[in-house]
Amino acid sequence: MNSIKPKYTYPQMIEHMKDKGIKFELVSEEEAIQMLATKNYYFKLTSYRKNFHKVGGQYEHLDFAYLTDLASIDMQLRGYLLRISLDIEHGIKTRIIDLITKDPREDGYSVVKDFSKFNQRGYDQTMKYLRRNDYLHDMYIKHRNHPSIWMFLEVATFGVLSRFVDFYYERSRNKDVKVAHTLLKYAKHIRNASAHNNAIMVNLFTIKEQVKHRNTMVVMYATRMGIDASILTDMKVNDLVSLYSLHRRFSSIRAQALTKKEGKKITTQS
């Protein structure tokens, strides 16, 4: 059982870091305390120390300034990855709605009803969120008895979207949906870390984040990007390749090209 650690004062935090070999040459101890009190907290900031080597229990060539730099870079990276994730989420929802809209076998309601049987928890979670959302309560009142796919995907979380994609791939066997079905389960790790402000640039290429079995589709996309497939054994690299691949497939530019292609196909057939 892990022992409960005592709460540190800011000076005690500094002393603890010094005991571990962290230096305060580029940033003074007083400046470090100010940073810990106003810009970043001790637990997150010190997590980046895992990127540095220890010799005899002491970190080698590690200054407090390096930790703050890594924290800043990681924050900017999370913001960038979250923007990509939001674009992917919108693109996948748009693609699914487009497929259902063009499918004469779908009425836009039965697909939601069938999903509720496939994944009752995801369906209930979405309707509960809609019912409790003060901004969308009128939408809940209007659509609660007969939820349509347009309304449902509008409020579905990223996690529920991932489960819906699994369901809809079994239903449609569409090749675009297959890509989302295969890659979303990896990409959502990076998306969730970014959305919840978790540190990303830690534990890279360690046994803690090793992928045991590489996915063939991820390997294919990595090869196309010029990425050595051997590094896909790292979970974060695997997940980032999945995220970027989804963005290439479902960004608004990709969607416009796909719509034009399908439009030309329809014109030719007619």
Side-chain angles (χ1 to χ4, degrees), residues 52-223:
F52 297 87
H53 294 293
K54 270 184 174 182
V55 177
Q58 297 276 300
Y59 287 103
E60 199 175 28
H61 309 302
L62 174 54
D63 194 279
F64 183 82
Y66 303 160
L67 300 178
T68 61
D69 284 349
L70 278 172
S72 177
I73 293 169
D74 205 18
M75 178 189 69
Q76 295 174 60
L77 176 63
R78 290 194 301 273
Y80 168 68
L81 294 175
L82 183 57
R83 289 193 296 275
I84 288 180
S85 300
L86 291 171
D87 196 22
I88 289 170
E89 182 176 357
H90 177 75
I92 291 175
K93 288 179 178 181
T94 300
R95 182 62 178 141
I96 290 175
I97 289 173
D98 176 57
L99 289 169
I100 291 174
T101 300
K102 292 175 179 176
D103 190 342
R105 297 166 298 180
E106 297 283 8
D107 61 8
Y109 294 87
S110 59
V111 67
V112 179
K113 184 177 180 180
D114 291 345
F115 174 70
S116 71
K117 299 173 184 175
F118 175 85
N119 192 290
Q120 186 70 47
R121 183 179 179 183
Y123 174 84
D124 291 344
Q125 178 185 331
T126 303
M127 297 305 292
K128 183 178 180 180
Y129 168 78
L130 183 63
R131 176 167 56 85
R132 293 185 173 182
N133 191 306
D134 291 336
Y135 291 160
L136 301 175
H137 191 66
D138 60 331
M139 185 186 294
Y140 172 74
I141 296 298
K142 184 176 181 179
H143 298 281
R144 60 184 172 181
N145 294 325
H146 302 287
S148 68
I149 188 61
W150 305 282
M151 182 281 295
F152 188 80
L153 287 187
E154 175 67 17
V155 296
T157 64
F158 198 90
V160 172
L161 174 63
S162 180
R163 294 190 286 274
F164 186 88
V165 165
D166 294 340
F167 155 77
Y168 191 65
Y169 175 62
E170 289 188 10
R171 189 181 184 95
S172 68
R173 293 294 167 177
N174 177 272
K175 63 180 181 179
D176 269 352
V177 182
K178 180 180 180 180
V179 173
H181 162 71
T182 304
L183 301 182
L184 261 181
K185 60 179 174 287
Y186 303 124
K188 72 178 180 181
H189 298 150
I190 289 288
R191 181 267 176 196
N192 289 344
S194 300
H196 297 295
N197 209 27
N198 302 142
I200 292 176
M201 295 174 59
V202 294
N203 294 324
L204 294 171
F205 301 103
T206 65
I207 193 68
K208 295 178 181 179
E209 295 187 350
Q210 191 172 46
V211 175
K212 294 181 179 180
H213 304 289
R214 292 177 296 177
N215 182 278
T216 54
M217 183 180 288
V218 180
V219 171
M220 178 188 71
Y221 280 117
T223 302

Side-chain angles (χ1 to χ4, degrees), residues 245-261:
S245 301
L246 284 170
H247 192 250
R248 285 185 174 187
R249 190 90 179 190
F250 293 101
S251 68
S252 56
I253 295 174
R254 157 72 184 174
Q256 290 173 14
L258 186 62
T259 301
K260 287 182 180 179
K261 182 179 179 181

